[in-house]
Amino acid sequence: MKLRVIVTLCALFTITQQVFSQDKCTCELTNSEKAFPHDKLSTVEGNASKCNSNITPQKTLELEILLLGLERRLPQLQEDVSMLEREDDGDLYAVLSLYVIENELMEIKQLIDRLNSTTKAHQGLTADTTKQLEDLSAEMQELQTYDTMQVVKRLEDNHRLKRDLDQCKNGFHPTIQPTQPPHSKCPHGEFQNITGPRVYTAGEYPGSYKYGAWGRDPKPEAGKESWYWLVMLTSSNRYANYIRLYSSLSSLIVGLSIPGNVQIHSSNPATNTIQGPNIVLYGEALYYNCYNLDAVCRFNLTTKTITNLQLPKGTRFNSKGNFCHLEECYPFTDLDLATDESGVWVIYTTSQDFGNLVLSKVEEDEPMTLGQTWHTSVYKQGVTNTFMACGVLYATRYVNKTMEEIFYAFDTTTGVERFNVGVFINKMSPNIYSLNYSPVDQMLHAYCDSFMVSYKVLFW
Ligand SMILES: *[C@@H]1O[C@H](CO)[C@@H](O)[C@H](O)[C@H]1NC(C)=O
Ligand SMILES: *[C@@H]1O[C@H](CO)[C@@H](O)[C@H](O)[C@H]1NC(C)=O
Ligand SMILES: *[C@@H]1O[C@H](CO)[C@@H](O)[C@H](O)[C@H]1NC(C)=O
Ligand SMILES: *[C@@H]1O[C@H](CO)[C@@H](O)[C@H](O)[C@H]1NC(C)=O
Ligand SMILES: *[C@@H]1O[C@H](CO)[C@@H](O)[C@H](O)[C@H]1NC(C)=O
C-alpha cells in the first residue's frame, strides 16, 4: 500500500520534471466569447435614468399652466377694451383705462415670452431625448449579443412571472389593490391626471337647456375632422329630436352652426328619438338611449335611418337606474354611451346586477350587436357619470359644488378594479350631466348646467 503511493508520487514527479525540463508551463483557457462590457452597461443604465428624470409630467404641466394663464388674461383684456370704448366720450379716451390696458398687454407679452421659451426648451428636450433614446436602444441591442447565457431573457421571464403572481395574489385578496394599475395597452401611456378647464362656453343658447351633450366624432368623414356636435334636451329636460353641428370649435363657441340641425323626427319625443343626456357621435352616427326603451338607438346621419340594439332582460330604463349623488339623481341617465380608442361602449345597470354598473362593448357593424360584457362591483347610484379611455372604464362621484372626483377604474383587459384613482375635476357648475372622452384629442367633454366644458386628459 505504502509502496504504491510512493510509486505514484514518483511517476507524478517524473511528469512534472519533464514539464519543467521543457521550461514551459502554459495553461490556456480559451473563451470563445468576448468579455462582457460591464462599464458600458452601467453608462447605458445611467443615461437611461437621466433620460427618465428629464422627462416628467411636470414639464407638460408647466406648459398647460402657461396656456391656461393666457386663456384667462385674454378675456380680461377684452373686457378692459370694451370698458375703454364705453368710456370713450367723443375724442377723449379715459387715460386710466389706457394704463390698465397697457399693463394687461405687458403681462400678456410676458406670458407669451415665457411660453415661447418653454416651448423652445421642450423642443430642445424632445430632440435631445429622441437622440438619446436612439443611442440607448442601439447600445442595448449591441449588449444583448453578449447575453449568451440568456441572463437578460431569464430576468425578463422572472419579472413576468412575478407580475403574474402579484396579479394572482390580488385576485385572491381584492382588498389589496396595487397602487399602480397594471400596464394596459394604451398608445398614450397610463391615465394620470386631467388639466383645469380648457374650454368653457355657454355656446349658442346660453342658459336655455340644462341637459345635453357635446363633443367630436372620433371617426369623422373626410373633411369633417374639426367638426363638433351638440345635442340639447329641448323637451322637459329629457328628450331631444335633433343634433346640431358646427364646423369648428370656434363656431360652436360663437354659436355659428353652418350645417345646422340634423333632425331625427319632427316630433319630440317620438319613437326612437333621444332620451337622456349621455349621447355620443361615432362614425357619422349618433348613439343614444331610445325613447321609452331599454335599447341603444343608432341614428345614421348620412341615411337618416335608425337601428336599435336591445339590451339584456332586466336592464333598468326610464329613470330607474340613474346616476346619483347624495342630494339628487340625474333623470333619464339609465344608459351612458361612451367612446374611446376602440369604438362605442354602453354603461348601464340591471336588476340581476343589483344596481351595479355593467359595461358592454357595442359592435358598430350592421346590424349593431352587443359585444363582450363586464360586471363591476360599483353601485350606480353612488356614481355621477362614467367615461371610457383606452379600454378602461372610469367613474366619477360628486365631492362638492366645485369638485368632482374620478374615483373608480375598471380595466377591461385585466379585469382589475380600483377604487382609489383620486383624480379631481375642477367644475365650472355643480352638475356634470354628460361626460365623454374624445380619443382624437384626449379631451374630456362635459355638459354641465347648460355650459360646455372640456379638460385635457394627461397620460404618461
Ligand atoms: C451617455 O451619455 C453621454 C453624455 O450624455 C454620452 O457621451 C455617452 O455616449 C452616452 N453613452 C451611452 C452608452 O449611450
Ligand atoms: C421667440 O423667441 C425667439 C428668440 O429666442 C424670437 O426670435 C421669436 O421672435 C420669439 N417669438 C415670439 C412669438 O415671441
Ligand atoms: C393633478 O393636477 C392638479 C392640477 O391640475 C394637481 O393639483 C394635482 O396634484 C395633480 N394630481 C396628481 C395625482 O398628479
Ligand atoms: C350609414 O349608412 C351608410 C349608407 O348605407 C353606410 O355606408 C354607413 O356605414 C352607415 N353608418 C353606420 C355607422 O352604420
Ligand atoms: C370641495 O372639495 C375640495 C376637495 O376636498 C376642497 O379642497 C374644496 O375646498 C371644497 N370646496 C368647497 C366649496 O367646499
Side-chain angles (χ1 to χ4, degrees):
M1 182 75 163
K2 238 179 200 168
L3 192 70
R4 254 180 80 192
V5 171
I6 288 164
V7 170
T8 321
L9 272 177
C10 275
L12 195 68
F13 188 66
T14 326
I15 294 163
T16 317
Q17 260 200 333
Q18 273 175 359
V19 172
F20 269 117
S21 72
Q22 287 179 355
D23 208 15
K24 225 181 198 173
C25 174
T26 42
C27 169
E28 213 170 314
L29 172 68
T30 39
N31 184 358
S32 57
E33 310 293 339
K34 290 176 279 180
F36 186 82
H38 287 280
D39 49 341
K40 219 167 192 174
L41 179 62
S42 76
T43 17
V44 171
E45 243 167 35
N47 283 8
S49 78
K50 220 162 45 197
C51 225
N52 266 344
S53 59
N54 274 346
I55 303 284
T56 61
Q58 222 53 44
K59 295 253 154 60
T60 342
L61 273 181
E62 211 174 289
L63 206 61
E64 299 284 348
I65 289 162
L66 283 173
L67 279 172
L68 201 58
L70 202 57
E71 247 169 50
R72 296 250 163 96
R73 307 299 320 189
L74 290 174
Q76 184 63 47
L77 179 68
Q78 203 173 18
E79 197 175 302
D80 290 340
V81 169
S82 59
M83 194 189 287
L84 179 73
E85 280 166 358
R86 280 200 298 277
E87 283 170 8
D88 176 14
D89 52 359
D91 338 83
L92 208 66
Y93 281 86
V95 179
L96 200 63
S97 296
L98 266 178
Y99 275 126
V100 170
I101 284 163
E102 217 169 69
N103 263 334
E104 266 316 313
L105 279 175
M106 191 60 90
E107 280 181 35
I108 285 171
K109 192 183 168 313
Q110 278 167 2
L111 268 174
I112 288 175
D113 284 348
R114 273 180 62 200
L115 207 53
N116 190 7
S117 60
T118 314
T119 316
K120 274 229 169 57
H122 275 244
Q123 277 167 358
L125 196 62
T126 312
D128 209 37
T129 311
T130 310
K131 173 82 180 63
Q132 276 182 34
L133 282 177
E134 277 165 3
D135 288 354
L136 283 176
S137 139
E139 285 288 342
M140 281 314 286
Q141 252 159 31
E142 202 186 306
L143 285 178
Q144 230 166 35
T145 61
Y146 286 95
D147 191 23
T148 47
M149 310 273 283
Q150 306 254 306
V151 177
V152 174
K153 201 164 167 300
R154 295 263 157 76
L155 277 178
E156 280 172 0
D157 283 348
N158 278 350
H159 198 73
R160 239 194 315 274
L161 278 174
K162 194 169 170 311
R163 202 181 47 208
D164 287 351
L165 188 65
D166 283 348
Q167 264 172 31
C168 196
K169 272 195 218 147
N170 287 324
F172 281 122
H173 308 285
T175 44
I176 309 165
Q177 298 291 352
T179 39
Q180 289 298 311
H183 221 81
S184 52
K185 286 183 222 89
C186 187
H188 334 287
E190 242 13 283
F191 174 92
Q192 191 56 33
N193 205 346
I194 62 166
T195 64
R198 306 306 308 270
V199 172
Y200 172 51
T201 178
E204 196 172 353
Y205 308 95
S208 296
Y209 304 106
K210 209 173 157 195
Y211 296 83
W214 72 293
R216 288 176 79 168
D217 185 344
K219 208 179 122 195
E221 252 177 23
K224 296 185 179 173
E225 288 81 3
S226 60
W227 281 32
Y228 280 74
W229 60 271
L230 168 65
V231 170
M232 297 157 289
L233 303 190
T234 49
S235 168
S236 318
N237 285 336
R238 293 175 185 180
Y239 313 116
N241 63 337
Y242 65 87
I243 171 173
R244 200 153 170 77
L245 299 169
Y246 299 89
S247 60
S248 69
L249 180 60
S250 41
S251 313
L252 175 119
I253 290 170
V254 300
L256 190 71
S257 173
I258 294 293
N261 295 349
V262 183
Q263 201 175 62
I264 299 170
H265 195 278
S266 53
S267 337
N268 183 23
T271 308
N272 287 337
T273 56
I274 301 167
Q275 174 166 297
N278 290 299
I279 302 153
V280 295
L281 185 66
Y282 186 88
E284 293 280 310
L286 196 69
Y287 292 78
Y288 54 92
N289 185 178
C290 322
Y291 168 64
N292 199 27
L293 286 180
D294 49 350
V296 173
C297 265
R298 175 171 67 189
F299 172 63
N300 187 325
L301 265 65
T302 316
T303 58
K304 316 269 192 297
T305 50
I306 301 162
T307 44
N308 286 20
L309 171 62
Q310 177 64 47
L311 290 175
K313 237 184 164 50
T315 295
R316 293 184 177 169
F317 69 112
N318 276 349
S319 223
K320 304 244 167 40
N322 289 330
F323 288 131
C324 300
H325 57 84
L326 281 179
E327 277 150 42
E328 69 172 301
C329 286
Y330 299 152
F332 295 89
T333 52
D334 305 270
L335 266 56
D336 184 6
L337 278 301
T339 55
D340 77 347
E341 286 73 5
S342 59
V344 181
W345 302 79
V346 59
I347 298 109
Y348 55 103
T349 184
T350 71
S351 299
Q352 57 272 28
D353 287 281
F354 307 106
N356 285 346
L357 281 185
V358 178
L359 167 70
S360 295
K361 182 77 187 66
V362 175
E363 304 298 347
E364 304 106 35
D365 326 314
E366 186 62 57
M368 256 190 299
T369 51
L370 207 58
Q372 202 178 340
T373 293
W374 291 265
H375 303 267
T376 75
S377 55
V378 65
Y379 190 50
K380 193 173 177 199
Q381 288 197 7
V383 166
T384 46
N385 225 304
T386 61
F387 64 91
M388 292 293 298
C390 282
V392 179
L393 170 74
Y394 295 93
T396 61
R397 66 178 165 211
Y398 186 94
V399 177
N400 57 37
K401 282 195 164 88
T402 61
M403 284 288 178
E404 198 91 352
E405 184 189 359
I406 302 169
F407 75 103
Y408 172 86
F410 181 95
D411 191 331
T412 56
T413 53
T414 61
V416 173
E417 270 185 309
R418 293 204 297 145
F419 284 86
N420 62 349
V421 177
V423 168
F424 289 89
I425 302 178
N426 215 329
K427 281 186 288 189
M428 308 302 284
S429 325
N431 299 300
I432 298 178
Y433 294 121
S434 79
L435 184 64
N436 192 45
Y437 168 74
S438 162
V440 277
D441 50 8
Q442 289 85 52
M443 298 294 281
L444 266 185
H445 293 117
Y447 192 99
C448 338
D449 298 303
S450 90
F451 285 100
M452 289 171 268
V453 190
S454 71
Y455 305 84
K456 177 97 184 168
V457 179
L458 304 175
F459 293 91
W460 68 9

